[in-house]
Amino acid sequence: MTKYVNAVITEEQKESSLPILEGTLGPHAVDIQNLYPRHNLLAFDPGFRSTASCKSAITFVDGDNGVLLYRGYPIEELAEHSNFEEVTYLLMHGELPKVDQYQEFIALLHRHNLLHEQVMSFYRGFRRDAHPMAVMVGVVGALSAFYHDVMDIQKQEDRMRAAIRLVAKMPMLAAASYTYSIGRPQRYPNNKFDFSSNFLQMMFGRPSEEYVVDPVLARAFDVILILHADHEQNASTSTVRLAASSGANPFACIAAGVASLWGPAHGGANEAVLKMLQEIGTVENIPKAIARAKDKNDSFRLMGFGHRVYKNFDPRSRVIQVQAKKVLEHLGIKDPLLDVALKLEEIALKDSYFIERKLYPNVDFYSGILLRAMGFPMNFFTAIFALARTAGWVSHWLELQHESHGIDRPRQLYVGSPLRHHPKKK
Ligand code: CMC
């Protein structure tokens, strides 16, 4: 039975019953679709703090209790018991794959993991020192020129092929944005490797030498990919959905997602965290940094702290902290920045400013330390986020194709000049 909330719209003295929609978990949503047609009123929610932009069955986040579920499975369990390929299948199809489904999925990823040779010439148009995310925005978008004519997004088969192509090609696309910058010839995918190992060999391997995978690093990298694979309606995923609602080419939609992810308030935070830790430098400088973060006249924020949805711990940050310690120990690295990070977290979590505002370390707080230990350059961190999030983006893109609400078209509260006339008008 549909529940309703009674809304009395005082401006026009009209009363409306608005249906309440119940999801499986999380807060209910008031359906305001009739607000404008019936009352000529719009809902105002800049930043979408109280807005459910769509229905989705992919990922659930409970920010008050630090819960993240992919298709119902807790992120901690997936990080422990699954690999990235299984998680991608789960996000795309709704269930963990059975053995034959898994093999078929891997075969598809293998079939589509090469880049058209012509794509490689796009890289040469970029300056060597271009930011990898700038390159990724361009090259992912450029893929739309390769597959546009042979794809009909009305056909489920074509849609699935486009989604697989995106996931499968992203490792080489990302790796090439690095190898191009250092002038090293790009290695091709090698299907004897799993997804993460394959990426590592394309990123760090020399074409002239055998690449030996370090299983501890490959596993840590796989966990990073799993943790970043999806996060419901975040800025980049919403960007993908918005772009896709017009029926745009999927490669172009994902390029839009890459662009949105780049910002320091979103995926760019992992790079910003490491820069901040380097700037702080030593444990003695932490109080100064904390004071700056609290000063309203200073734009400095503690990067890797706070989250729009998590008002308790970010479950991803706990998993990644364990991996960071494991990898540093395995490699015998004593990173003073880890000490700075641990102390910073300890001090901030006891500080009333952070407690009152419910600011906790998010996934990016430790991922930079881990990625640096693995040998990734700092400006490449967000490209790894993009590599992982492609699994989520394509899953949302696929889900959206079954929705029938048409193009997304938000409205606005207009605060500009009322009607006036051109000075030359007689
Ligand atoms: N350092 C210091 N103060 C902060 C921070 C921070 N990192 N984050 C929020 N605040 C303060 C903010 O100044 C405000 O204070 P007041 O109420 O006195 O004005 C209050 O906390 C609420 O902040 P907000 O900006 O309204 O919070 P939001 O939900 O809009 O922003 C956020 C969320 C993630 C953009 C923000 O916390 C932030 O900028 N954090 C640093 C960047 C970061 O780590 N981003 C990665 C997010 S996780 C990866 C991902 O999913 O993309």
Side-chain angles (χ1 to χ4, degrees), residues 142-154:
L143 285 185
S144 55
F146 286 80
Y147 305 107
H148 192 70
D149 291 344
V150 292
M151 185 182 55
D152 176 356
I153 60 168
Q154 302 308 324

Side-chain angles (χ1 to χ4, degrees), residues 33-95:
Q33 290 180 85
N34 277 328
L35 203 56
Y36 179 63
R38 185 164 151 71
H39 296 281
N40 196 32
L41 283 173
L42 298 172
F44 182 62
D45 183 23
F48 306 120
R49 285 168 194 266
S50 296
T51 295
S53 63
C54 60
K55 283 185 186 169
S56 179
I58 301 174
T59 291
F60 174 73
V61 180
D62 176 350
D64 292 328
N65 295 304
V67 173
L68 169 59
L69 312 177
Y70 293 168
R71 301 284 189 181
Y73 294 107
I75 192 68
E76 297 86 350
E77 292 177 23
L78 290 167
E80 191 176 345
H81 300 293
S82 272
N83 63 17
F84 181 65
E85 294 90 317
E86 282 172 335
V87 168
T88 303
Y89 184 98
L90 172 71
L91 289 170
M92 285 172 67
H93 295 277
E95 296 296 335

Side-chain angles (χ1 to χ4, degrees), residues 112-115 143 147 165-173:
H112 291 292
N113 64 11
L114 283 167
L115 291 181
L143 285 185
Y147 305 107
R165 277 190 169 131
L166 273 154
V167 173
K169 291 180 194 312
M170 206 54 102
M172 188 167 169
L173 274 175

Side-chain angles (χ1 to χ4, degrees), residues 42 93 101 104 124 139 147 165 180-181 194 197 248 271 368 412:
L42 298 172
H93 295 277
Q101 291 168 325
E104 201 182 312
R124 291 178 202 111
V139 184
Y147 305 107
R165 277 190 169 131
Y180 172 73
S181 74
D194 58 48
S197 305
E271 182 181 343
Q412 61 173 7

Side-chain angles (χ1 to χ4, degrees), residues 49 231 261 264-267 269 273 293 296 300-308 311 314 316 353-354 357 359 362-364 385 389:
R49 285 168 194 266
H231 212 231
L261 183 74
H266 192 6
V273 171
K296 290 290 155 210
F300 177 79
R301 280 188 167 198
L302 270 198
M303 298 314 286
F305 258 76
H307 197 274
R308 173 58 65 82
K311 300 303 173 193
D314 176 344
R316 302 168 300 174
Y353 174 94
F354 294 90
R357 288 168 183 75
L359 302 169
N362 58 50
V363 68
D364 293 319
F385 199 151
R389 189 53 61 86

Side-chain angles (χ1 to χ4, degrees), residues 17-35:
S17 286
L18 303 175
I20 294 184
L21 308 177
E22 292 186 21
T24 354
L25 295 169
H28 303 332
V30 180
D31 182 347
I32 55 155
Q33 290 180 85
N34 277 328
L35 203 56

